Amino acid sequence: EPIVVCLPLPNRGALYSHKYTCPIEGSMTLGRTPVDFPAESSYGLIDIHQGYYPVIMKWHWATGAGRAPDGRLVGFNLTDNQVEDQHAYNETCVWQDGRLCLLPPVTFDFDRRDHRKPWVIRDRDGMVELTFEPEVVRTVDINALLLRSRYRAPFGAFSGRLRTGDGDEIEVDDYFGMCEDFYLRS
């Protein structure tokens, strides 16, 4: 069950998003080195989005996945962006073995001067309580007259818990994923 949404932005624009966490299996070769992706420990994070954005666009985003102790695939998508009325419209969710569960809006607490320090992601209802420990940070800075972009994308591990609207508690223990701190003026 992917999440597929079209969300209103403040400039009378919209953001389209199609996301999903899915199992994968296979192999690939890097140079001459084969890399296997066994079904019991592999997954894909699909993210397709497009939008008519305001002149200044900014967001915080997190995605990650892992296996529950019983082997079920768990993945999540968490956002804090410029969508109008995030309590009515958002793309924050968790998947359990392919089943989509919507979550409330979240906030991101992190050190904007040092993206290698831990991030805390929570909601006001106690359904999302995650800590993200960055391992490596990808950065892109562009300052070209009218265009200014500042992108920080740490990759690392999530821990904590998620709770679905059905009352299921999901323990997140060392799930791999990434966050984004993004600013664009175009």
Side-chain angles (χ1 to χ4, degrees):
E1 297 177 354
I3 188 165
V4 181
V5 295
C6 188
L7 307 171
L9 292 171
N11 65 333
R12 296 178 37 196
L15 164 68
Y16 166 81
S17 181
H18 182 143
K19 297 181 180 179
Y20 182 59
T21 301
C22 59
I24 63 166
E25 178 178 11
S27 64
M28 66 183 227
T29 302
L30 293 174
R32 294 181 183 196
T33 306
V35 180
D36 292 324
F37 297 94
E40 64 275 1
S41 62
S42 302
Y43 54 87
L45 301 167
I46 309 304
D47 180 354
I48 302 165
H49 72 271
Q50 189 169 355
Y52 178 66
Y53 300 111
V55 172
I56 294 179
M57 187 66 190
K58 49 190 169 182
W59 67 69
H60 300 114
W61 173 65
T63 190
R67 297 279 177 177
D70 64 5
R72 290 180 303 152
L73 177 60
V74 175
F76 53 86
N77 183 73
L78 309 169
T79 60
D80 180 15
N81 55 31
Q82 291 171 282
V83 168
E84 292 183 351
D85 189 2
Q86 289 194 56
H87 291 279
Y89 311 105
N90 74 57
E91 55 180 323
T92 301
C93 63
V94 61
W95 293 274
Q96 293 185 86
D97 250 359
R99 190 176 129 247
L100 174 67
C101 301
L102 300 178
L103 295 171
V106 295
T107 59
F108 288 71
D109 184 19
F110 61 96
D111 187 336
R112 284 168 173 71
R113 294 174 312 243
D114 187 354
H115 289 80
R116 288 174 176 79
K117 291 184 178 178
W119 296 43
V120 176
I121 306 164
R122 291 192 174 117
D123 74 302
R124 69 181 187 189
D125 301 324
M127 295 177 73
V128 178
E129 295 179 9
L130 293 177
T131 300
F132 174 69
E133 295 282 344
E135 295 173 21
V136 64
V137 179
R138 178 176 173 235
T139 64
V140 177
D141 289 305
I142 299 171
N143 193 358
L145 300 175
L146 298 177
L147 176 69
R148 168 92 171 103
S149 177
R150 185 177 176 279
Y151 178 76
R152 303 293 181 264
F155 292 81
F158 291 91
S159 61
R161 70 175 185 82
L162 300 168
R163 193 180 73 211
T164 69
D166 298 336
D168 291 340
E169 291 247 348
I170 303 166
E171 291 297 320
V172 175
D173 183 23
D174 200 33
Y175 284 16
F176 177 77
M178 69 175 292
C179 290
E180 286 183 346
D181 175 19
F182 180 75
Y183 170 89
L184 173 66
R185 182 191 71 223
S186 59

